[in-house]
Amino acid sequence: MDNTVVANALPVIMRDLGMSDRAKDWVATGYILTFSCLMIAGGRLTDVYGRRVTFVTGMAVFTAASAVCGLAPDPATLILARVAQGAGAALALPATQVMVTVGRTDGERSLGTVVWVGAAAGATALGPAVGGFIVQQWHWGWIFLVNVVPGVLVILLGLAVLTGEGGDRRARVDLPGVLVSATMLFALTYGLQSGNRHGWDDPGVLAVLALAAAALACFVLVEGWAPDPMVDLGLFRDRVVAGGLLSQMLYGIGFNGMIFYSATFLQRFLGFSPPRAGLVLLPPAIAIMALTPVAFWLAVRVGPRAAVGGGLALMAAGMVLFSTIRSGDGYADLMPGVLIVGAGAAMGMPLVMYVLKAVPDERAGVAGGVINVVREASGALGIAVLGLLVDHVPREGAGPAELETFRDGTSAALVLGAAVVLTGGLVSGFTLPRRARRERPRPEPAVAVAAAVPATVPAPRDPPITVRTRTEPAKTPDEFTWTGTPHHRPAPPEGRHEPYVPDDDPAGGPRTAPRDDIW
Protein backbone atom coordinates (compact mmCIF):
# COMPACT_ATOMS: atom_id res chain seq x y z
CA MET A 1 0.00 0.00 0.00
CA ASP A 2 2.91 2.36 0.58
CA ASN A 3 3.52 2.40 -3.17
CA THR A 4 0.44 4.55 -3.72
CA VAL A 5 -0.65 5.82 -0.30
CA VAL A 6 1.15 9.12 -0.89
CA ALA A 7 -0.68 9.84 -4.17
CA ASN A 8 -3.55 11.84 -2.63
CA ALA A 9 -1.39 13.24 0.17
CA LEU A 10 1.29 14.78 -2.07
CA PRO A 11 -0.45 18.15 -2.59
CA VAL A 12 -0.75 18.62 1.20
CA ILE A 13 2.84 17.44 1.79
CA MET A 14 4.10 19.86 -0.87
CA ARG A 15 2.31 22.75 0.84
CA ASP A 16 3.42 21.93 4.41
CA LEU A 17 7.08 21.20 3.59
CA GLY A 18 7.48 23.73 0.76
CA MET A 19 8.38 20.88 -1.58
CA SER A 20 9.26 21.38 -5.24
CA ASP A 21 7.83 19.31 -8.09
CA ARG A 22 11.10 17.38 -8.39
CA ALA A 23 11.17 16.55 -4.67
CA LYS A 24 7.51 15.53 -4.86
CA ASP A 25 8.32 12.99 -7.58
CA TRP A 26 11.15 11.51 -5.52
CA VAL A 27 8.87 10.98 -2.51
CA ALA A 28 6.98 8.48 -4.66
CA THR A 29 9.74 7.11 -6.90
CA GLY A 30 12.40 6.90 -4.16
CA TYR A 31 10.40 4.19 -2.41
CA ILE A 32 9.55 2.36 -5.64
CA LEU A 33 13.12 2.45 -6.95
CA THR A 34 14.69 1.04 -3.79
CA PHE A 35 11.91 -1.49 -3.52
CA SER A 36 12.50 -2.74 -7.08
CA CYS A 37 16.31 -2.51 -7.04
CA LEU A 38 16.69 -4.70 -3.94
CA MET A 39 13.79 -7.11 -4.54
CA ILE A 40 15.87 -9.86 -6.14
CA ALA A 41 18.54 -9.41 -3.47
CA GLY A 42 15.82 -9.85 -0.85
CA GLY A 43 14.72 -13.06 -2.53
CA ARG A 44 18.31 -14.29 -2.64
CA LEU A 45 18.81 -13.49 1.05
CA THR A 46 15.65 -15.47 1.78
CA ASP A 47 17.17 -18.45 -0.02
CA VAL A 48 20.43 -18.08 1.91
CA TYR A 49 19.27 -17.18 5.44
CA GLY A 50 15.68 -18.45 5.48
CA ARG A 51 12.29 -16.74 5.72
CA ARG A 52 12.39 -15.81 9.40
CA VAL A 53 15.60 -13.74 9.35
CA THR A 54 14.86 -11.82 6.15
CA PHE A 55 11.18 -11.18 6.88
CA VAL A 56 11.71 -9.97 10.45
CA THR A 57 14.73 -7.84 9.46
CA GLY A 58 12.89 -6.29 6.54
CA MET A 59 9.82 -5.50 8.61
CA ALA A 60 11.97 -3.92 11.34
CA VAL A 61 13.63 -1.60 8.79
CA PHE A 62 10.27 -0.82 7.16
CA THR A 63 8.56 -0.02 10.47
CA ALA A 64 11.39 2.22 11.73
CA ALA A 65 11.56 4.08 8.41
CA SER A 66 7.78 4.59 8.50
CA ALA A 67 8.12 6.32 11.86
CA VAL A 68 10.82 8.63 10.45
CA CYS A 69 8.65 9.43 7.41
CA GLY A 70 5.71 10.41 9.61
CA LEU A 71 7.88 12.76 11.71
CA ALA A 72 10.01 14.18 8.85
CA PRO A 73 10.59 17.95 9.27
CA ASP A 74 11.85 18.61 5.73
CA PRO A 75 11.74 17.11 2.21
CA ALA A 76 15.26 15.63 2.39
CA THR A 77 14.49 13.61 5.52
CA LEU A 78 11.23 12.40 4.03
CA ILE A 79 12.89 11.27 0.78
CA LEU A 80 15.72 9.44 2.59
CA ALA A 81 13.27 7.72 4.92
CA ARG A 82 11.17 6.66 1.95
CA VAL A 83 14.27 5.11 0.37
CA ALA A 84 14.95 3.16 3.59
CA GLN A 85 11.30 2.15 3.77
CA GLY A 86 11.54 0.67 0.28
CA ALA A 87 14.68 -1.26 1.24
CA GLY A 88 12.92 -2.86 4.21
CA ALA A 89 9.93 -3.79 2.07
CA ALA A 90 12.27 -5.37 -0.51
CA LEU A 91 13.56 -7.73 2.19
CA ALA A 92 10.15 -8.65 3.60
CA LEU A 93 8.00 -9.11 0.49
CA PRO A 94 9.90 -12.00 -1.22
CA ALA A 95 9.73 -13.95 2.05
CA THR A 96 5.92 -13.67 2.01
CA GLN A 97 5.80 -15.14 -1.48
CA VAL A 98 7.95 -18.05 -0.32
CA MET A 99 5.58 -18.61 2.62
CA VAL A 100 2.57 -19.26 0.37
CA THR A 101 4.34 -21.34 -2.30
CA VAL A 102 7.26 -23.39 -0.98
CA GLY A 103 6.36 -26.64 0.79
CA ARG A 104 2.67 -26.44 -0.16
CA THR A 105 0.43 -28.80 -2.07
CA ASP A 106 -0.74 -27.80 -5.55
CA GLY A 107 -4.11 -26.68 -4.21
CA GLU A 108 -2.57 -24.65 -1.40
CA ARG A 109 -0.06 -23.11 -3.79
CA SER A 110 -2.79 -22.06 -6.24
CA LEU A 111 -4.94 -20.59 -3.48
CA GLY A 112 -1.94 -18.84 -1.96
CA THR A 113 -1.03 -17.27 -5.33
CA VAL A 114 -4.56 -15.99 -5.86
CA VAL A 115 -4.69 -14.46 -2.37
CA TRP A 116 -1.17 -13.02 -2.64
CA VAL A 117 -1.76 -11.38 -6.03
CA GLY A 118 -5.23 -10.15 -5.08
CA ALA A 119 -3.98 -8.65 -1.81
CA ALA A 120 -1.07 -6.91 -3.53
CA ALA A 121 -3.27 -5.46 -6.27
CA GLY A 122 -6.02 -4.43 -3.86
CA ALA A 123 -3.59 -2.75 -1.49
CA THR A 124 -1.99 -0.83 -4.37
CA ALA A 125 -5.36 0.41 -5.55
CA LEU A 126 -6.62 1.20 -2.02
CA GLY A 127 -3.59 3.36 -1.25
CA PRO A 128 -4.97 6.63 -2.67
CA ALA A 129 -8.30 6.22 -0.85
CA VAL A 130 -6.64 5.47 2.48
CA GLY A 131 -4.15 8.32 2.04
CA GLY A 132 -6.87 10.80 1.11
CA PHE A 133 -9.00 9.87 4.12
CA ILE A 134 -6.10 10.19 6.57
CA VAL A 135 -4.99 13.55 5.16
CA GLN A 136 -8.52 14.93 5.46
CA GLN A 137 -8.91 13.80 9.09
CA TRP A 138 -5.39 14.13 10.56
CA HIS A 139 -1.88 15.34 9.82
CA TRP A 140 -0.36 13.85 6.65
CA GLY A 141 2.34 12.14 8.72
CA TRP A 142 -0.22 9.56 9.86
CA ILE A 143 -0.21 7.91 6.42
CA PHE A 144 3.19 6.56 7.53
CA LEU A 145 2.72 6.38 11.29
CA VAL A 146 -0.22 3.98 10.93
CA ASN A 147 2.36 1.37 9.85
CA VAL A 148 4.15 1.36 13.20
CA VAL A 149 1.75 -0.64 15.42
CA PRO A 150 0.84 -3.24 12.75
CA GLY A 151 4.55 -3.49 11.88
CA VAL A 152 5.51 -4.33 15.46
CA LEU A 153 2.71 -6.90 15.70
CA VAL A 154 3.75 -8.54 12.43
CA ILE A 155 7.38 -8.72 13.61
CA LEU A 156 6.26 -10.53 16.78
CA LEU A 157 4.03 -12.84 14.73
CA GLY A 158 6.94 -13.67 12.42
CA LEU A 159 9.18 -14.51 15.36
CA ALA A 160 6.47 -16.78 16.74
CA VAL A 161 5.36 -18.74 13.67
CA LEU A 162 8.23 -18.67 11.17
CA THR A 163 11.22 -20.99 11.24
CA GLY A 164 14.71 -20.64 9.86
CA GLU A 165 14.30 -23.65 7.61
CA GLY A 166 14.91 -23.36 3.89
CA GLY A 167 18.13 -21.38 4.06
CA ASP A 168 21.26 -22.44 2.19
CA ARG A 169 24.31 -20.89 3.82
CA ARG A 170 26.56 -22.29 1.07
CA ALA A 171 24.91 -20.06 -1.54
CA ARG A 172 26.36 -16.67 -2.42
CA VAL A 173 24.78 -13.24 -2.72
CA ASP A 174 25.57 -11.63 -6.07
CA LEU A 175 26.60 -8.22 -4.72
CA PRO A 176 27.98 -6.92 -8.06
CA GLY A 177 24.65 -7.77 -9.71
CA VAL A 178 22.76 -5.89 -7.00
CA LEU A 179 24.91 -2.77 -7.36
CA VAL A 180 24.89 -2.72 -11.16
CA SER A 181 21.12 -3.27 -11.40
CA ALA A 182 20.48 -0.52 -8.85
CA THR A 183 22.68 1.87 -10.84
CA MET A 184 20.83 0.98 -14.03
CA LEU A 185 17.35 1.59 -12.62
CA PHE A 186 18.25 4.81 -10.85
CA ALA A 187 20.00 6.21 -13.92
CA LEU A 188 17.13 5.28 -16.22
CA THR A 189 14.42 6.86 -14.06
CA TYR A 190 16.47 9.97 -13.31
CA GLY A 191 17.18 10.38 -17.01
CA LEU A 192 13.49 10.15 -17.87
CA GLN A 193 12.56 12.71 -15.22
CA SER A 194 15.37 15.10 -16.16
CA GLY A 195 14.53 14.88 -19.85
CA ASN A 196 11.07 16.17 -19.00
CA ARG A 197 12.42 19.36 -17.50
CA HIS A 198 15.65 20.08 -19.36
CA GLY A 199 14.96 18.63 -22.80
CA TRP A 200 16.12 15.40 -24.37
CA ASP A 201 19.10 17.04 -26.06
CA ASP A 202 20.55 18.31 -22.77
CA PRO A 203 24.09 16.92 -22.26
CA GLY A 204 23.36 15.97 -18.65
CA VAL A 205 20.27 14.00 -19.64
CA LEU A 206 22.12 12.20 -22.42
CA ALA A 207 24.97 11.34 -20.04
CA VAL A 208 22.60 9.81 -17.47
CA LEU A 209 20.79 7.77 -20.12
CA ALA A 210 24.16 6.59 -21.46
CA LEU A 211 25.06 5.51 -17.91
CA ALA A 212 21.82 3.49 -17.76
CA ALA A 213 22.66 1.76 -21.06
CA ALA A 214 26.22 1.01 -19.90
CA ALA A 215 24.92 -0.37 -16.61
CA LEU A 216 22.53 -2.65 -18.51
CA ALA A 217 25.40 -4.02 -20.61
CA CYS A 218 27.50 -4.52 -17.46
CA PHE A 219 24.62 -6.29 -15.76
CA VAL A 220 24.35 -8.80 -18.61
CA LEU A 221 28.12 -9.45 -18.46
CA VAL A 222 28.22 -9.72 -14.66
CA GLU A 223 25.30 -12.14 -14.53
CA GLY A 224 26.88 -14.25 -17.26
CA TRP A 225 30.17 -14.52 -15.34
CA ALA A 226 28.88 -14.81 -11.76
CA PRO A 227 29.16 -18.29 -10.17
CA ASP A 228 25.80 -17.73 -8.43
CA PRO A 229 24.09 -15.07 -10.58
CA MET A 230 21.35 -12.97 -9.12
CA VAL A 231 19.32 -13.55 -12.30
CA ASP A 232 19.73 -16.56 -14.57
CA LEU A 233 19.66 -14.97 -18.02
CA GLY A 234 18.58 -18.29 -19.52
CA LEU A 235 15.10 -17.68 -18.10
CA PHE A 236 14.48 -14.96 -20.68
CA ARG A 237 14.87 -17.38 -23.59
CA ASP A 238 11.47 -18.86 -22.78
CA ARG A 239 8.70 -17.19 -24.80
CA VAL A 240 6.14 -17.29 -21.99
CA VAL A 241 8.59 -15.84 -19.43
CA ALA A 242 9.86 -13.06 -21.70
CA GLY A 243 6.40 -12.18 -23.02
CA GLY A 244 4.79 -12.33 -19.59
CA LEU A 245 7.40 -10.06 -18.04
CA LEU A 246 7.13 -7.57 -20.90
CA SER A 247 3.33 -7.56 -20.58
CA GLN A 248 3.64 -7.05 -16.81
CA MET A 249 5.97 -4.10 -17.37
CA LEU A 250 3.68 -2.41 -19.93
CA TYR A 251 0.60 -3.09 -17.80
CA GLY A 252 2.28 -1.62 -14.70
CA ILE A 253 3.45 1.50 -16.54
CA GLY A 254 -0.10 2.38 -17.53
CA PHE A 255 -1.80 1.42 -14.25
CA ASN A 256 0.67 3.06 -11.87
CA GLY A 257 0.98 6.18 -14.00
CA MET A 258 -2.78 6.60 -14.01
CA ILE A 259 -3.05 6.11 -10.22
CA PHE A 260 -0.30 8.66 -9.57
CA TYR A 261 -1.47 11.47 -11.87
CA SER A 262 -5.24 11.01 -11.59
CA ALA A 263 -5.16 11.71 -7.83
CA THR A 264 -3.47 15.09 -8.37
CA PHE A 265 -5.70 15.78 -11.38
CA LEU A 266 -8.91 15.20 -9.42
CA GLN A 267 -7.84 17.62 -6.69
CA ARG A 268 -6.28 20.40 -8.78
CA PHE A 269 -8.52 20.38 -11.86
CA LEU A 270 -11.90 19.18 -10.54
CA GLY A 271 -11.44 20.64 -7.04
CA PHE A 272 -12.10 17.37 -5.18
CA SER A 273 -11.03 17.09 -1.56
CA PRO A 274 -8.46 14.32 -0.79
CA PRO A 275 -11.11 11.94 0.65
CA ARG A 276 -13.42 12.50 -2.31
CA ALA A 277 -10.55 11.93 -4.73
CA GLY A 278 -9.76 8.74 -2.85
CA LEU A 279 -13.38 7.60 -3.13
CA VAL A 280 -13.12 7.88 -6.92
CA LEU A 281 -10.35 5.26 -6.87
CA LEU A 282 -12.06 3.04 -4.28
CA PRO A 283 -14.51 1.27 -6.66
CA PRO A 284 -11.74 0.04 -9.00
CA ALA A 285 -9.83 -1.26 -5.96
CA ILE A 286 -12.90 -3.22 -4.85
CA ALA A 287 -13.40 -4.47 -8.42
CA ILE A 288 -9.81 -5.73 -8.53
CA MET A 289 -10.11 -7.64 -5.27
CA ALA A 290 -13.52 -9.09 -6.22
CA LEU A 291 -12.66 -10.05 -9.80
CA THR A 292 -9.14 -11.43 -9.31
CA PRO A 293 -10.39 -14.96 -8.42
CA VAL A 294 -12.75 -14.76 -11.40
CA ALA A 295 -9.81 -13.79 -13.62
CA PHE A 296 -7.84 -16.89 -12.57
CA TRP A 297 -10.87 -19.11 -13.22
CA LEU A 298 -11.54 -17.51 -16.59
CA ALA A 299 -7.90 -17.86 -17.64
CA VAL A 300 -8.19 -21.61 -17.06
CA ARG A 301 -11.50 -21.88 -18.91
CA VAL A 302 -10.79 -19.79 -22.03
CA GLY A 303 -7.01 -19.70 -21.91
CA PRO A 304 -4.61 -17.01 -20.64
CA ARG A 305 -4.12 -15.47 -24.07
CA ALA A 306 -7.77 -14.47 -24.42
CA ALA A 307 -8.34 -13.69 -20.73
CA VAL A 308 -5.22 -11.60 -20.04
CA GLY A 309 -4.98 -10.02 -23.49
CA GLY A 310 -8.67 -9.10 -23.47
CA GLY A 311 -8.43 -7.77 -19.92
CA LEU A 312 -5.59 -5.41 -20.80
CA ALA A 313 -7.49 -4.20 -23.86
CA LEU A 314 -10.49 -3.52 -21.59
CA MET A 315 -8.26 -1.59 -19.19
CA ALA A 316 -6.91 0.53 -22.06
CA ALA A 317 -10.47 1.38 -23.12
CA GLY A 318 -11.28 2.51 -19.57
CA MET A 319 -8.22 4.79 -19.49
CA VAL A 320 -9.26 6.43 -22.77
CA LEU A 321 -12.77 6.97 -21.37
CA PHE A 322 -11.32 8.48 -18.18
CA SER A 323 -9.19 10.87 -20.29
CA THR A 324 -12.33 12.60 -21.62
CA ILE A 325 -13.10 14.27 -18.26
CA ARG A 326 -14.09 17.92 -18.52
CA SER A 327 -14.45 20.71 -16.00
CA GLY A 328 -17.59 20.28 -13.92
CA ASP A 329 -17.75 16.49 -14.18
CA GLY A 330 -18.84 14.79 -10.97
CA TYR A 331 -18.45 11.45 -9.25
CA ALA A 332 -20.98 9.67 -11.47
CA ASP A 333 -19.27 10.87 -14.64
CA LEU A 334 -15.98 9.32 -13.51
CA MET A 335 -17.31 5.88 -12.56
CA PRO A 336 -17.64 4.21 -15.99
CA GLY A 337 -14.00 4.81 -16.86
CA VAL A 338 -12.48 3.84 -13.51
CA LEU A 339 -14.67 0.73 -13.13
CA ILE A 340 -13.64 -0.50 -16.57
CA VAL A 341 -10.01 0.12 -15.62
CA GLY A 342 -10.48 -1.90 -12.42
CA ALA A 343 -12.12 -4.81 -14.23
CA GLY A 344 -9.40 -4.89 -16.88
CA ALA A 345 -6.65 -4.65 -14.27
CA ALA A 346 -8.11 -7.65 -12.43
CA MET A 347 -8.06 -9.68 -15.65
CA GLY A 348 -4.31 -9.07 -15.94
CA MET A 349 -3.52 -10.60 -12.54
CA PRO A 350 -2.97 -14.22 -13.75
CA LEU A 351 0.15 -13.05 -15.61
CA VAL A 352 2.23 -13.86 -12.53
CA MET A 353 0.98 -17.44 -12.27
CA TYR A 354 1.66 -18.31 -15.90
CA VAL A 355 5.17 -16.88 -15.82
CA LEU A 356 5.96 -18.96 -12.71
CA LYS A 357 4.46 -22.07 -14.34
CA ALA A 358 6.90 -21.72 -17.25
CA VAL A 359 9.92 -21.70 -14.91
CA PRO A 360 11.51 -24.84 -13.42
CA ASP A 361 10.84 -25.33 -9.72
CA GLU A 362 14.48 -24.81 -8.83
CA ARG A 363 14.31 -21.33 -10.40
CA ALA A 364 10.92 -20.31 -9.02
CA GLY A 365 12.42 -18.06 -6.33
CA VAL A 366 14.52 -16.12 -8.84
CA ALA A 367 11.55 -15.83 -11.19
CA GLY A 368 9.37 -14.49 -8.38
CA GLY A 369 11.99 -11.86 -7.59
CA VAL A 370 12.20 -10.81 -11.24
CA ILE A 371 8.40 -10.51 -11.46
CA ASN A 372 8.33 -8.30 -8.37
CA VAL A 373 11.15 -6.16 -9.77
CA VAL A 374 9.29 -5.70 -13.05
CA ARG A 375 6.06 -4.82 -11.25
CA GLU A 376 7.68 -2.27 -8.96
CA ALA A 377 10.00 -0.78 -11.59
CA SER A 378 7.00 -0.30 -13.85
CA GLY A 379 5.56 2.02 -11.20
CA ALA A 380 8.56 4.34 -11.38
CA LEU A 381 8.63 4.14 -15.17
CA GLY A 382 4.90 4.83 -15.32
CA ILE A 383 5.33 8.08 -13.42
CA ALA A 384 8.28 9.03 -15.61
CA VAL A 385 6.78 8.02 -18.97
CA LEU A 386 3.37 9.59 -18.39
CA GLY A 387 5.19 12.56 -16.89
CA LEU A 388 6.61 13.24 -20.35
CA LEU A 389 3.22 14.79 -21.17
CA VAL A 390 2.27 16.07 -17.68
CA ASP A 391 5.19 18.45 -17.47
CA HIS A 392 3.69 20.87 -14.97
CA VAL A 393 1.35 20.44 -11.99
CA PRO A 394 -0.39 23.73 -11.18
CA ARG A 395 -0.49 24.93 -7.62
CA GLU A 396 -3.67 25.71 -5.73
CA GLY A 397 -5.47 28.80 -7.04
CA ALA A 398 -4.09 28.51 -10.58
CA GLY A 399 -5.94 30.29 -13.36
CA PRO A 400 -8.29 28.66 -15.90
CA ALA A 401 -5.73 28.72 -18.71
CA GLU A 402 -3.10 26.94 -16.59
CA LEU A 403 -5.66 24.37 -15.41
CA GLU A 404 -6.78 23.69 -18.96
CA THR A 405 -3.18 23.13 -20.02
CA PHE A 406 -2.82 20.70 -17.14
CA ARG A 407 -6.01 18.89 -18.26
CA ASP A 408 -4.76 18.57 -21.82
CA GLY A 409 -1.44 17.16 -20.64
CA THR A 410 -3.09 14.68 -18.27
CA SER A 411 -5.55 13.56 -20.93
CA ALA A 412 -2.75 12.97 -23.43
CA ALA A 413 -0.78 11.08 -20.75
CA LEU A 414 -3.75 8.77 -20.07
CA VAL A 415 -4.10 8.05 -23.80
CA LEU A 416 -0.38 7.28 -23.95
CA GLY A 417 -0.77 4.97 -20.95
CA ALA A 418 -3.71 3.26 -22.66
CA ALA A 419 -1.58 2.65 -25.76
CA VAL A 420 1.16 1.14 -23.58
CA VAL A 421 -1.33 -1.15 -21.82
CA LEU A 422 -2.90 -2.20 -25.12
CA THR A 423 0.56 -3.11 -26.42
CA GLY A 424 0.97 -5.30 -23.33
CA GLY A 425 -2.31 -7.01 -24.16
CA LEU A 426 -1.12 -7.76 -27.70
CA VAL A 427 2.14 -9.20 -26.34
CA SER A 428 0.15 -11.43 -23.98
CA GLY A 429 -2.06 -12.57 -26.83
CA PHE A 430 0.94 -13.82 -28.81
CA THR A 431 3.19 -15.22 -26.07
CA LEU A 432 1.11 -16.70 -23.25
CA PRO A 433 0.03 -20.36 -23.50
CA ARG A 434 -3.09 -21.28 -25.38
CA ARG A 435 -6.02 -22.92 -23.64
CA ALA A 436 -4.82 -26.15 -22.04
CA ARG A 437 -6.33 -29.20 -23.68
CA ARG A 438 -7.71 -31.95 -21.51
CA GLU A 439 -5.45 -34.94 -21.83
CA ARG A 440 -7.21 -38.17 -22.73
CA PRO A 441 -5.91 -41.36 -21.16
CA ARG A 442 -3.72 -43.10 -23.68
CA PRO A 443 -4.36 -46.83 -24.27
CA GLU A 444 -1.65 -49.04 -22.93
CA PRO A 445 0.34 -50.42 -25.85
CA ALA A 446 0.53 -54.17 -26.23
CA VAL A 447 4.06 -53.98 -27.55
CA ALA A 448 6.34 -50.96 -27.43
CA VAL A 449 8.87 -51.12 -30.22
CA ALA A 450 11.87 -48.87 -29.92
CA ALA A 451 14.10 -47.46 -32.60
CA ALA A 452 17.11 -49.59 -33.42
CA VAL A 453 19.54 -47.39 -31.55
CA PRO A 454 20.94 -47.84 -28.06
CA ALA A 455 18.73 -46.22 -25.43
CA THR A 456 19.04 -46.03 -21.68
CA VAL A 457 15.92 -47.34 -19.95
CA PRO A 458 15.32 -46.40 -16.31
CA ALA A 459 15.00 -49.26 -13.88
CA PRO A 460 11.35 -50.09 -13.06
CA ARG A 461 10.05 -49.21 -9.62
CA ASP A 462 8.01 -52.42 -9.33
CA PRO A 463 8.73 -55.11 -6.72
CA PRO A 464 11.76 -57.25 -7.52
CA ILE A 465 11.06 -60.07 -9.94
CA THR A 466 12.13 -63.61 -9.19
CA VAL A 467 14.68 -64.66 -11.80
CA ARG A 468 15.56 -68.27 -12.49
CA THR A 469 17.54 -69.91 -15.22
CA ARG A 470 16.13 -72.56 -17.53
CA THR A 471 16.67 -76.17 -16.60
CA GLU A 472 17.26 -76.99 -20.25
CA PRO A 473 20.30 -75.62 -22.04
CA ALA A 474 19.86 -72.10 -23.26
CA LYS A 475 19.92 -71.46 -26.97
CA THR A 476 22.08 -68.37 -26.56
CA PRO A 477 24.41 -67.33 -23.74
CA ASP A 478 22.37 -64.23 -22.82
CA GLU A 479 18.92 -65.86 -22.78
CA PHE A 480 17.13 -66.42 -19.47
CA THR A 481 13.56 -66.54 -18.23
CA TRP A 482 11.65 -64.95 -15.40
CA THR A 483 8.50 -65.53 -13.43
CA GLY A 484 6.28 -63.15 -11.54
CA THR A 485 2.88 -61.51 -11.66
CA PRO A 486 2.17 -59.41 -14.76
CA HIS A 487 2.07 -55.69 -14.15
CA HIS A 488 0.87 -52.72 -16.16
CA ARG A 489 3.10 -49.76 -16.77
CA PRO A 490 1.89 -46.26 -17.68
CA ALA A 491 2.59 -45.03 -21.18
CA PRO A 492 6.15 -43.67 -21.37
CA PRO A 493 6.72 -39.95 -21.91
CA GLU A 494 7.66 -38.66 -25.33
CA GLY A 495 11.16 -39.58 -26.37
CA ARG A 496 11.29 -42.58 -23.99
CA HIS A 497 10.64 -46.22 -24.81
CA GLU A 498 9.68 -49.17 -22.68
CA PRO A 499 11.76 -52.35 -22.86
CA TYR A 500 10.56 -54.89 -25.35
CA VAL A 501 8.24 -57.47 -23.75
CA PRO A 502 7.19 -60.35 -25.99
CA ASP A 503 3.43 -60.92 -26.03
CA ASP A 504 3.33 -64.32 -27.76
CA ASP A 505 4.73 -66.53 -24.99
CA PRO A 506 2.41 -69.13 -23.40
CA ALA A 507 0.27 -67.54 -20.70
CA GLY A 508 1.36 -68.35 -17.20
CA GLY A 509 4.54 -70.10 -18.29
CA PRO A 510 8.16 -69.03 -18.36
CA ARG A 511 8.74 -66.19 -20.79
CA THR A 512 11.83 -64.95 -22.52
CA ALA A 513 13.05 -61.83 -20.75
CA PRO A 514 13.70 -58.65 -22.74
CA ARG A 515 17.25 -57.86 -23.72
CA ASP A 516 18.75 -54.63 -22.39
CA ASP A 517 20.78 -53.61 -25.40
CA ILE A 518 18.90 -52.62 -28.56
CA TRP A 519 15.29 -52.84 -27.36
Side-chain angles (χ1 to χ4, degrees):
M1 189 176 291
D2 276 72
N3 274 327
T4 55
V5 73
V6 299
N8 268 328
L10 277 177
V12 178
I13 297 174
M14 289 177 65
R15 182 189 64 209
D16 286 359
L17 298 182
M19 191 179 296
S20 64
D21 283 347
R22 180 178 299 182
K24 174 209 56 162
D25 291 341
W26 279 105
V27 170
T29 58
Y31 175 90
I32 296 172
L33 277 171
T34 314
F35 196 17
S36 59
C37 290
L38 300 180
M39 186 76 69
I40 299 179
R44 189 61 175 163
L45 290 173
T46 302
D47 293 336
V48 175
Y49 298 107
R51 291 167 289 185
R52 184 181 188 183
V53 172
T54 52
F55 177 75
V56 171
T57 303
M59 283 304 304
V61 173
F62 177 83
T63 304
S66 297
V68 176
C69 286
L71 302 174
D74 52 67
T77 303
L78 178 59
I79 293 172
L80 291 176
R82 285 283 285 171
V83 169
Q85 195 182 32
L91 288 177
L93 188 64
T96 64
Q97 198 166 21
V98 171
M99 293 175 199
V100 300
T101 56
V102 175
R104 307 292 183 185
T105 65
D106 288 343
E108 291 171 345
R109 188 178 295 110
S110 298
L111 179 60
T113 302
V114 171
V115 173
W116 194 93
V117 172
T124 301
L126 279 173
V130 173
F133 175 79
I134 290 176
V135 168
Q136 182 70 16
Q137 301 297 324
W138 306 293
H139 184 262
W140 60 263
W142 282 103
I143 65 174
F144 305 110
L145 294 176
V146 293
N147 295 332
V148 175
V149 173
V152 171
L153 294 177
V154 168
I155 291 171
L156 296 175
L157 182 63
L159 291 173
V161 303
L162 296 179
T163 66
E165 297 177 359
D168 183 6
R169 298 302 177 91
R170 296 172 298 178
R172 302 177 183 178
V173 177
D174 182 19
L175 185 58
V178 174
L179 296 177
V180 175
S181 64
T183 302
M184 175 185 65
L185 289 171
F186 268 97
L188 176 62
T189 304
Y190 183 78
L192 291 173
Q193 291 181 338
S194 300
N196 247 355
R197 297 177 175 83
H198 305 297
W200 297 103
D201 56 350
D202 184 82
V205 173
L206 295 177
V208 172
L209 293 177
L211 174 61
L216 174 60
C218 291
F219 180 74
V220 174
L221 290 176
V222 167
E223 296 306 282
W225 294 339
D228 286 326
M230 185 173 68
V231 177
D232 181 6
L233 300 179
L235 294 175
F236 300 105
R237 299 191 187 102
D238 186 276
R239 182 191 67 186
V240 176
V241 173
L245 292 175
L246 179 58
S247 299
Q248 181 69 51
M249 172 65 77
L250 297 174
Y251 158 76
I253 288 174
F255 182 74
N256 288 285
M258 176 184 172
I259 290 293
F260 182 80
Y261 286 107
S262 62
T264 305
F265 175 77
L266 292 173
Q267 294 182 53
R268 293 293 168 85
F269 182 74
L270 295 181
F272 284 17
S273 64
R276 192 180 180 192
L279 286 176
V280 172
L281 300 176
L282 184 60
I286 296 174
I288 289 173
M289 290 186 290
L291 295 179
T292 292
V294 178
F296 277 83
W297 174 84
L298 193 61
V300 173
R301 298 292 296 178
V302 304
R305 287 190 177 187
V308 176
L312 296 188
L314 185 66
M315 178 180 170
M319 293 177 68
V320 172
L321 184 60
F322 188 75
S323 70
T324 61
I325 297 172
R326 295 288 177 182
S327 179
D329 285 349
Y331 190 84
D333 300 306
L334 304 173
M335 281 301 100
V338 296
L339 284 176
I340 293 175
V341 169
M347 295 304 301
M349 293 302 159
L351 264 173
V352 174
M353 183 177 70
Y354 286 99
V355 171
L356 289 176
K357 277 188 174 183
V359 176
D361 289 343
E362 61 270 17
R363 295 289 181 183
V366 174
V370 173
I371 291 171
N372 285 315
V373 166
V374 169
R375 183 169 54 233
E376 301 307 326
S378 67
L381 290 175
I383 295 173
V385 170
L386 270 63
L388 298 175
L389 300 178
V390 187
D391 55 354
H392 176 67
V393 178
R395 295 190 175 274
E396 294 180 0
E402 187 178 0
L403 290 175
E404 192 61 29
T405 301
F406 175 52
R407 195 212 75 84
D408 292 340
T410 304
S411 177
L414 290 174
V415 173
L416 173 62
V420 172
V421 172
L422 182 60
T423 303
L426 293 175
V427 172
S428 298
F430 285 105
T431 60
L432 291 182
R434 293 184 177 90
R435 180 181 178 182
R437 297 178 179 177
R438 295 182 179 178
E439 296 185 0
R440 297 180 179 178
R442 288 186 284 182
E444 188 172 347
V447 179
V449 181
V453 293
T456 302
V457 180
R461 303 180 192 175
D462 305 295
I465 298 172
T466 305
V467 179
R468 63 177 176 85
T469 58
R470 290 179 185 265
T471 55
E472 64 272 20
K475 295 180 180 179
T476 58
D478 60 347
E479 186 177 301
F480 63 93
T481 60
W482 63 279
T483 60
T485 56
H487 58 275
H488 299 284
R489 294 177 180 161
E494 276 184 66
R496 303 291 295 273
H497 303 281
E498 287 186 339
Y500 173 67
V501 179
D503 60 351
D504 54 355
D505 285 345
R511 290 189 289 173
T512 303
R515 295 174 48 142
D516 312 37
D517 47 359
I518 64 172
W519 298 108

